[in-house]
Each structure stands twice: as structure tokens, then as C-alpha cells.
Amino acid sequence: MTPEGSLLAAEGLSKAYGPTPALDGADFSVHPGEVVAVMGPSGSGKSTLLHCLAGIVAPDRGTVRYGPHTLTGLTDAQRSALRRTDFGFVFQFGQLVPELTCLENVALPLRLNGTRRKDAERQARDWLEQLEVEGAAGQRPGEISGGQGQRVAVARALATRPRVIFADEPTGALDSLNGERVLTLLTNAARDTNAAVVLVTHEARVAAYSDREIVVRDGRVKDMAGRI
Ligand SMILES: Nc1ncnc2c1ncn2[C@@H]1O[C@H](COP(=O)(O)OP(=O)(O)O)[C@@H](O)[C@H]1O
Ligand SMILES: [Mg+2]
């Protein structure tokens, strides 16, 4: 059963790497504008779940539905196009392009979607401001701190106004103060644009940022019963 009103929903996802099951019948759904925190021990299948949901990895079994689309039924080219327009990604290490300035990094996905340079750079500057890192606009990723880099990475992920943002331990390399700040900025910006967020995190205070928490264990998804 696909949960009513969901934007992205997966049913019975299984994926094995050789003899290792990474996912083993995982179900998932997220509503428009909802922030779902994904927790669970290392190796439990969290990253594989995100990759299947985003259409980066094809599951061995199960389906992923995004709006009217069934991701597994699309061609690679269709899936890539959808990822570029509708999904945004933030990883543990920002994976910014080192040769480009921070402004150019944020403008890049807009340029790839056909936005003119001037408009792309104006929008990129606004996003850097919103993420409180406008001072880094002219600097290259190697010249800024990890916390600043993650803010730039969040700005880049949000720039195309994606419907879903996937964030895989985006604050894993930051101290807790910087980590909390980045999560606050990310989730606030996502709420402003009504984007859904699928956030893998180990932050202790994640309940403050998320609408719902799930736990992945041995490749399966468990809903958290209530909040602490
Ligand atoms: N590309 C891969 N090749 C081989 N094994 C993998 C690959 N990706 C993940 N795995 C294995 O699948 C399991 C789940 O991994 P992963 O989804 O990365 O977990 P998590 O993100 O929760 O740490 C682990 O046992 C991991 O070693
Ligand atoms: Mg992982």
C-alpha cells in the first residue's frame, strides 16, 4: 500500500551487494514539505535506502514511486533528468567543485538547468545569504572551513528548488555547534520552499529539526514510536 498523499514512496526495497544484504524489504514514504530523519547503526542500509529512493541505485526488488512516476520504470536518461530538476543532494563532505568559487558552485545546477549566468549568480548569492555564508562567495572550497563548506553545499542543493532534498550525514564531519546550525538552516530553508527532506543523521537533537524519525536496522525501516 502506498501511503496516501505521499510525494515519494518505496515498497519492499531489497538490494544485495554480493552476499551482503544492504536492504531487506524496506518501506518508506515522505510527504511534501515533511522532514524525515533516518537513523540507525553504521552498515544498516541508510545510504543504500537514500540511493534507491533517489534512483541512483536500482533495487533488486521493490518499487519507488515519485509523484506519478515509478522510478524503476524510467530510462537512465529520464531518471537523471528528474534528479537534476526535482532532487537535491547534500553529502557528508560537501563535494563542491574545487576549481570553482562558492558562488559558481551554487550557480552550477541552475546553469545546468538552463538558467542564464546573470540570473543563476544572483540566485546563488541569495542562497548563500540565506545560509549565512555570503562572505565565501568569491572563495574556493579549499579556502573555507568545513562548516562553511557544508552551508555552501546546502545552498547548492536548494538552488534549483528541488521537491526532495536527500542529505546523507551532512553534519557528520562538523562539531556539534556547527552541525546544529547547518541542520537548522537546511530544514528552515526546506520548509520555506515546501521541499521534503530525507535526512540521515546521528545528531542527538534531531527531533528538534524533523517531523518524523525512522530507524533502519538490518536493511529494514522501523518507525520510531513517539518522541522522547
Ligand atoms: N557499493 C557497495 N558495494 C558493496 N557493499 C556495499 C556497497 N554499499 C553498501 N554496501 C554494504 O551494504 C550494507 C549497507 O551499507 P550502507 O547502506 O552504506 O549503510 P549505512 O549508510 O547505514 O552505513 C553494508 O554492509 C555495506 O558494507
Ligand atoms: Mg551511510
Side-chain angles (χ1 to χ4, degrees):
M1 279 284 288
T2 302
E4 292 288 314
S6 64
L7 176 63
L8 179 68
E11 246 184 272
L13 291 183
S14 293
K15 174 76 187 173
Y17 292 103
T20 317
L23 287 179
D24 183 20
D27 299 322
F28 177 88
S29 71
V30 64
H31 286 71
E34 187 182 30
V35 178
V36 177
V38 180
M39 291 172 298
S42 178
S44 59
K46 304 182 297 296
S47 293
T48 307
L49 174 64
L50 254 63
H51 296 156
C52 287
L53 292 173
I56 295 168
V57 162
D60 299 331
R61 277 193 306 282
T63 56
V64 179
R65 181 185 61 71
Y66 170 70
H69 308 285
T70 302
L71 288 191
T72 37
L74 300 178
T75 64
D76 284 351
Q78 287 171 323
R79 262 199 306 275
S80 302
L82 193 64
R83 270 202 301 275
R84 221 169 36 236
T85 54
D86 286 38
F87 296 166
F89 297 89
V90 192
F91 300 98
Q92 182 166 354
F93 301 100
Q95 300 186 346
L96 300 170
V97 181
E99 293 83 4
L100 300 181
T101 66
C102 291
L103 185 76
E104 289 165 343
N105 264 282
V106 179
L108 184 61
L110 292 164
R111 296 283 290 147
L112 292 174
N113 281 348
T115 308
R116 289 169 42 207
R117 179 183 302 276
K118 234 180 152 171
D119 290 337
E121 293 192 346
R122 185 180 41 74
Q123 289 177 45
R125 204 171 288 280
D126 289 346
W127 283 110
L128 288 175
E129 258 169 47
Q130 190 167 343
L131 273 298
E132 299 175 355
V133 71
E134 63 271 24
Q139 292 180 290
R140 292 195 163 67
E143 301 167 335
I144 59 175
S145 72
Q148 286 178 307
Q150 285 305 70
R151 289 175 199 209
V152 175
V154 171
R156 185 183 57 179
L158 288 157
T160 54
R161 294 183 168 268
R163 305 321 306 148
V164 187
I165 295 159
F166 296 97
D168 196 351
E169 305 195 32
T171 62
L174 305 181
D175 63 66
S176 62
L177 204 64
N178 265 305
E180 291 200 5
R181 192 75 198 121
V182 168
L183 282 192
T184 301
L185 291 165
L186 166 63
T187 50
N188 284 349
R191 287 198 169 98
D192 283 351
T193 58
N194 202 36
V197 180
V198 188
L199 168 69
V200 177
T201 181
H202 297 287
E203 293 287 331
R205 296 189 343 98
V206 67
Y209 311 102
S210 66
D211 300 311
R212 185 156 59 87
E213 293 150 62
I214 61 169
V215 177
V216 180
R217 213 176 281 282
D218 299 328
R220 294 202 187 161
V221 176
K222 297 189 165 43
D223 272 298
M224 290 275 277
R227 287 270 169 81
I228 299 161

